[in-house]
Amino acid sequence: MTDANTARFNAEALSWDSNPDVQQATALAHKAYLAHLPDAPTLSTFSVLELGCGTGLLSLALAPSVRSLTAIDAAPGMIAALESKLANNPAAPQNVHPIAVLLESPDDPVLNGQRFDLAVSHLVLHHIPDLPAVFRTLHGCLVPGGKVMVTDFENFGPEARRFHPESKMDGVERHGIERGEIRRVLEEAGFKDVKVETAFEMEKRVETEPGNGVLEGRMVFPFLICEGTKA
């Protein structure tokens, strides 16, 4: 993730959860993950790595269903917001472990050599310059038979650009993910049984005219869920 991304998300950390589009996308992604993951008895044994956890909205939703969840984000401000939630809410799950790091290797000391049953990431891929590198890292972070499962909005053509206001294009590397590209990236990283399909559609606020800053338009964006298994 670039310095532009880190600076933006540090600045937005305190207000992040107040965005209804963020809340809705996370809730829909959580539902999609549960629909694609094993049932409770098996899922409850999983150790999970979440890449780009932000303020932990998905982390805290998934945590009660799994054994442990290591929540990683390159923006210290986002991790601080998650740590505050964990410290100040007695009902918060205690199996979430936040780490502020730009994870570029499965052998990063912050992981202490841990390997995971599942790696997830939501609305992060469109900010990552080098997708092959990040999926090679995630592949290395998994146990044999471990799964990767990621969600992001789909690049369905020029109109996909409207997902972001023009003022927030710094750090946006692509306007959604493309089915063929993401399948190829997962397979080349070593994943088998790769599946890429529509997870859900979400209506989102967009600028009425690109660049005018008036978020009173509405558009429906398709989201993909992409998964694979480590051989």
Side-chain angles (χ1 to χ4, degrees), residues 79-100:
I79 291 296
L82 173 53
E83 289 174 334
S84 178
K85 292 179 185 179
L86 294 171
N88 296 319
N89 181 2
Q94 296 305 301
N95 60 342
V96 177
H97 312 291
I99 303 175

PDB file of all heavy atoms in Angstrom, residues 79-100:
ATOM      1  N   ILE A  79      -5.429   1.069  13.166  1.00  0.00           N
ATOM      2  CA  ILE A  79      -5.172   0.089  14.229  1.00  0.00           C
ATOM      3  C   ILE A  79      -5.452   0.689  15.603  1.00  0.00           C
ATOM      4  O   ILE A  79      -6.011   0.026  16.494  1.00  0.00           O
ATOM      5  CB  ILE A  79      -3.722  -0.430  14.142  1.00  0.00           C
ATOM      6  CG1 ILE A  79      -3.554  -1.295  12.892  1.00  0.00           C
ATOM      7  CG2 ILE A  79      -3.334  -1.217  15.396  1.00  0.00           C
ATOM      8  CD1 ILE A  79      -4.376  -2.573  12.878  1.00  0.00           C
ATOM      9  N   ALA A  80      -5.113   1.962  15.787  1.00  0.00           N
ATOM     10  CA  ALA A  80      -5.408   2.625  17.057  1.00  0.00           C
ATOM     11  C   ALA A  80      -6.910   2.659  17.320  1.00  0.00           C
ATOM     12  O   ALA A  80      -7.363   2.478  18.464  1.00  0.00           O
ATOM     13  CB  ALA A  80      -4.826   4.034  17.072  1.00  0.00           C
ATOM     14  N   ALA A  81      -7.699   2.891  16.266  1.00  0.00           N
ATOM     15  CA  ALA A  81      -9.154   2.898  16.423  1.00  0.00           C
ATOM     16  C   ALA A  81      -9.664   1.521  16.823  1.00  0.00           C
ATOM     17  O   ALA A  81     -10.548   1.397  17.688  1.00  0.00           O
ATOM     18  CB  ALA A  81      -9.818   3.359  15.131  1.00  0.00           C
ATOM     19  N   LEU A  82      -9.133   0.471  16.228  1.00  0.00           N
ATOM     20  CA  LEU A  82      -9.528  -0.885  16.599  1.00  0.00           C
ATOM     21  C   LEU A  82      -9.105  -1.204  18.029  1.00  0.00           C
ATOM     22  O   LEU A  82      -9.883  -1.785  18.805  1.00  0.00           O
ATOM     23  CB  LEU A  82      -8.912  -1.891  15.625  1.00  0.00           C
ATOM     24  CG  LEU A  82      -9.098  -3.371  15.959  1.00  0.00           C
ATOM     25  CD1 LEU A  82     -10.553  -3.735  16.188  1.00  0.00           C
ATOM     26  CD2 LEU A  82      -8.479  -4.242  14.859  1.00  0.00           C
ATOM     27  N   GLU A  83      -7.899  -0.832  18.400  1.00  0.00           N
ATOM     28  CA  GLU A  83      -7.433  -1.087  19.762  1.00  0.00           C
ATOM     29  C   GLU A  83      -8.317  -0.383  20.783  1.00  0.00           C
ATOM     30  O   GLU A  83      -8.595  -0.927  21.867  1.00  0.00           O
ATOM     31  CB  GLU A  83      -5.976  -0.635  19.906  1.00  0.00           C
ATOM     32  CG  GLU A  83      -4.998  -1.529  19.166  1.00  0.00           C
ATOM     33  CD  GLU A  83      -3.585  -1.001  19.185  1.00  0.00           C
ATOM     34  OE1 GLU A  83      -3.403   0.236  19.312  1.00  0.00           O
ATOM     35  OE2 GLU A  83      -2.655  -1.814  19.068  1.00  0.00           O
ATOM     36  N   SER A  84      -8.780   0.823  20.447  1.00  0.00           N
ATOM     37  CA  SER A  84      -9.674   1.548  21.346  1.00  0.00           C
ATOM     38  C   SER A  84     -10.988   0.806  21.528  1.00  0.00           C
ATOM     39  O   SER A  84     -11.528   0.717  22.634  1.00  0.00           O
ATOM     40  CB  SER A  84      -9.918   2.958  20.797  1.00  0.00           C
ATOM     41  OG  SER A  84     -10.822   3.666  21.619  1.00  0.00           O
ATOM     42  N   LYS A  85     -11.525   0.250  20.440  1.00  0.00           N
ATOM     43  CA  LYS A  85     -12.766  -0.525  20.543  1.00  0.00           C
ATOM     44  C   LYS A  85     -12.577  -1.728  21.461  1.00  0.00           C
ATOM     45  O   LYS A  85     -13.440  -2.038  22.301  1.00  0.00           O
ATOM     46  CB  LYS A  85     -13.196  -1.014  19.160  1.00  0.00           C
ATOM     47  CG  LYS A  85     -13.654   0.066  18.201  1.00  0.00           C
ATOM     48  CD  LYS A  85     -14.022  -0.565  16.863  1.00  0.00           C
ATOM     49  CE  LYS A  85     -14.382   0.462  15.822  1.00  0.00           C
ATOM     50  NZ  LYS A  85     -14.708  -0.149  14.519  1.00  0.00           N
ATOM     51  N   LEU A  86     -11.477  -2.419  21.296  1.00  0.00           N
ATOM     52  CA  LEU A  86     -11.227  -3.610  22.099  1.00  0.00           C
ATOM     53  C   LEU A  86     -11.029  -3.266  23.578  1.00  0.00           C
ATOM     54  O   LEU A  86     -11.484  -3.990  24.467  1.00  0.00           O
ATOM     55  CB  LEU A  86      -9.994  -4.349  21.569  1.00  0.00           C
ATOM     56  CG  LEU A  86     -10.126  -4.949  20.167  1.00  0.00           C
ATOM     57  CD1 LEU A  86      -8.777  -5.454  19.675  1.00  0.00           C
ATOM     58  CD2 LEU A  86     -11.143  -6.080  20.166  1.00  0.00           C
ATOM     59  N   ALA A  87     -10.384  -2.125  23.821  1.00  0.00           N
ATOM     60  CA  ALA A  87     -10.086  -1.744  25.205  1.00  0.00           C
ATOM     61  C   ALA A  87     -11.295  -1.170  25.931  1.00  0.00           C
ATOM     62  O   ALA A  87     -11.429  -1.341  27.149  1.00  0.00           O
ATOM     63  CB  ALA A  87      -8.946  -0.727  25.219  1.00  0.00           C
ATOM     64  N   ASN A  88     -12.177  -0.525  25.199  1.00  0.00           N
ATOM     65  CA  ASN A  88     -13.259   0.226  25.845  1.00  0.00           C
ATOM     66  C   ASN A  88     -14.620  -0.447  25.796  1.00  0.00           C
ATOM     67  O   ASN A  88     -15.588   0.086  26.348  1.00  0.00           O
ATOM     68  CB  ASN A  88     -13.356   1.618  25.205  1.00  0.00           C
ATOM     69  CG  ASN A  88     -12.107   2.437  25.436  1.00  0.00           C
ATOM     70  OD1 ASN A  88     -11.545   2.419  26.523  1.00  0.00           O
ATOM     71  ND2 ASN A  88     -11.654   3.154  24.415  1.00  0.00           N
ATOM     72  N   ASN A  89     -14.700  -1.584  25.152  1.00  0.00           N
ATOM     73  CA  ASN A  89     -15.974  -2.301  25.080  1.00  0.00           C
ATOM     74  C   ASN A  89     -15.813  -3.672  25.729  1.00  0.00           C
ATOM     75  O   ASN A  89     -15.209  -4.578  25.141  1.00  0.00           O
ATOM     76  CB  ASN A  89     -16.423  -2.451  23.626  1.00  0.00           C
ATOM     77  CG  ASN A  89     -17.760  -3.159  23.508  1.00  0.00           C
ATOM     78  OD1 ASN A  89     -18.387  -3.520  24.511  1.00  0.00           O
ATOM     79  ND2 ASN A  89     -18.192  -3.383  22.291  1.00  0.00           N
ATOM     80  N   PRO A  90     -16.341  -3.863  26.925  1.00  0.00           N
ATOM     81  CA  PRO A  90     -16.191  -5.152  27.608  1.00  0.00           C
ATOM     82  C   PRO A  90     -16.764  -6.323  26.822  1.00  0.00           C
ATOM     83  O   PRO A  90     -16.352  -7.468  27.026  1.00  0.00           O
ATOM     84  CB  PRO A  90     -16.964  -4.948  28.921  1.00  0.00           C
ATOM     85  CG  PRO A  90     -17.028  -3.472  29.109  1.00  0.00           C
ATOM     86  CD  PRO A  90     -17.081  -2.882  27.738  1.00  0.00           C
ATOM     87  N   ALA A  91     -17.709  -6.039  25.933  1.00  0.00           N
ATOM     88  CA  ALA A  91     -18.329  -7.111  25.146  1.00  0.00           C
ATOM     89  C   ALA A  91     -17.547  -7.444  23.880  1.00  0.00           C
ATOM     90  O   ALA A  91     -17.911  -8.386  23.170  1.00  0.00           O
ATOM     91  CB  ALA A  91     -19.754  -6.722  24.783  1.00  0.00           C
ATOM     92  N   ALA A  92     -16.490  -6.691  23.585  1.00  0.00           N
ATOM     93  CA  ALA A  92     -15.714  -6.939  22.370  1.00  0.00           C
ATOM     94  C   ALA A  92     -15.027  -8.296  22.449  1.00  0.00           C
ATOM     95  O   ALA A  92     -14.558  -8.701  23.521  1.00  0.00           O
ATOM     96  CB  ALA A  92     -14.683  -5.842  22.176  1.00  0.00           C
ATOM     97  N   PRO A  93     -14.949  -9.027  21.353  1.00  0.00           N
ATOM     98  CA  PRO A  93     -14.257 -10.322  21.376  1.00  0.00           C
ATOM     99  C   PRO A  93     -12.787 -10.143  21.728  1.00  0.00           C
ATOM    100  O   PRO A  93     -12.140  -9.205  21.260  1.00  0.00           O
ATOM    101  CB  PRO A  93     -14.443 -10.850  19.949  1.00  0.00           C
ATOM    102  CG  PRO A  93     -14.780  -9.663  19.121  1.00  0.00           C
ATOM    103  CD  PRO A  93     -15.488  -8.704  20.014  1.00  0.00           C
ATOM    104  N   GLN A  94     -12.287 -11.035  22.532  1.00  0.00           N
ATOM    105  CA  GLN A  94     -10.910 -10.918  23.003  1.00  0.00           C
ATOM    106  C   GLN A  94      -9.921 -11.771  22.214  1.00  0.00           C
ATOM    107  O   GLN A  94      -8.772 -11.925  22.638  1.00  0.00           O
ATOM    108  CB  GLN A  94     -10.866 -11.294  24.487  1.00  0.00           C
ATOM    109  CG  GLN A  94     -11.661 -10.356  25.376  1.00  0.00           C
ATOM    110  CD  GLN A  94     -11.252  -8.896  25.214  1.00  0.00           C
ATOM    111  OE1 GLN A  94     -10.095  -8.544  25.425  1.00  0.00           O
ATOM    112  NE2 GLN A  94     -12.204  -8.045  24.819  1.00  0.00           N
ATOM    113  N   ASN A  95     -10.364 -12.314  21.104  1.00  0.00           N
ATOM    114  CA  ASN A  95      -9.472 -13.133  20.273  1.00  0.00           C
ATOM    115  C   ASN A  95      -8.978 -12.379  19.036  1.00  0.00           C
ATOM    116  O   ASN A  95      -8.517 -12.980  18.077  1.00  0.00           O
ATOM    117  CB  ASN A  95     -10.173 -14.420  19.846  1.00  0.00           C
ATOM    118  CG  ASN A  95     -11.440 -14.167  19.027  1.00  0.00           C
ATOM    119  OD1 ASN A  95     -11.989 -13.066  19.050  1.00  0.00           O
ATOM    120  ND2 ASN A  95     -11.924 -15.189  18.325  1.00  0.00           N
ATOM    121  N   VAL A  96      -9.099 -11.030  19.062  1.00  0.00           N
ATOM    122  CA  VAL A  96      -8.623 -10.188  17.964  1.00  0.00           C
ATOM    123  C   VAL A  96      -7.285  -9.572  18.358  1.00  0.00           C
ATOM    124  O   VAL A  96      -7.158  -8.985  19.441  1.00  0.00           O
ATOM    125  CB  VAL A  96      -9.641  -9.077  17.633  1.00  0.00           C
ATOM    126  CG1 VAL A  96      -9.098  -8.162  16.538  1.00  0.00           C
ATOM    127  CG2 VAL A  96     -10.966  -9.691  17.207  1.00  0.00           C
ATOM    128  N   HIS A  97      -6.294  -9.688  17.467  1.00  0.00           N
ATOM    129  CA  HIS A  97      -4.945  -9.207  17.752  1.00  0.00           C
ATOM    130  C   HIS A  97      -4.538  -8.194  16.679  1.00  0.00           C
ATOM    131  O   HIS A  97      -4.121  -8.576  15.583  1.00  0.00           O
ATOM    132  CB  HIS A  97      -3.970 -10.382  17.790  1.00  0.00           C
ATOM    133  CG  HIS A  97      -4.439 -11.526  18.626  1.00  0.00           C
ATOM    134  ND1 HIS A  97      -4.526 -11.443  20.006  1.00  0.00           N
ATOM    135  CD2 HIS A  97      -4.908 -12.753  18.287  1.00  0.00           C
ATOM    136  CE1 HIS A  97      -4.990 -12.584  20.478  1.00  0.00           C
ATOM    137  NE2 HIS A  97      -5.244 -13.392  19.465  1.00  0.00           N
ATOM    138  N   PRO A  98      -4.653  -6.888  16.969  1.00  0.00           N
ATOM    139  CA  PRO A  98      -4.349  -5.860  15.963  1.00  0.00           C
ATOM    140  C   PRO A  98      -2.838  -5.625  15.831  1.00  0.00           C
ATOM    141  O   PRO A  98      -2.112  -5.611  16.832  1.00  0.00           O
ATOM    142  CB  PRO A  98      -5.034  -4.605  16.517  1.00  0.00           C
ATOM    143  CG  PRO A  98      -5.832  -5.061  17.709  1.00  0.00           C
ATOM    144  CD  PRO A  98      -5.193  -6.303  18.195  1.00  0.00           C
ATOM    145  N   ILE A  99      -2.377  -5.426  14.602  1.00  0.00           N
ATOM    146  CA  ILE A  99      -0.970  -5.140  14.342  1.00  0.00           C
ATOM    147  C   ILE A  99      -0.888  -4.075  13.250  1.00  0.00           C
ATOM    148  O   ILE A  99      -1.488  -4.224  12.188  1.00  0.00           O
ATOM    149  CB  ILE A  99      -0.194  -6.383  13.878  1.00  0.00           C
ATOM    150  CG1 ILE A  99      -0.309  -7.523  14.902  1.00  0.00           C
ATOM    151  CG2 ILE A  99       1.268  -6.038  13.637  1.00  0.00           C
ATOM    152  CD1 ILE A  99       0.333  -8.821  14.439  1.00  0.00           C
ATOM    153  N   ALA A 100      -0.138  -3.021  13.507  1.00  0.00           N
ATOM    154  CA  ALA A 100       0.101  -1.981  12.503  1.00  0.00           C
ATOM    155  C   ALA A 100       1.382  -2.318  11.747  1.00  0.00           C
ATOM    156  O   ALA A 100       2.485  -2.176  12.282  1.00  0.00           O
ATOM    157  CB  ALA A 100       0.219  -0.615  13.168  1.00  0.00           C
TER     158      ALA A 100
END
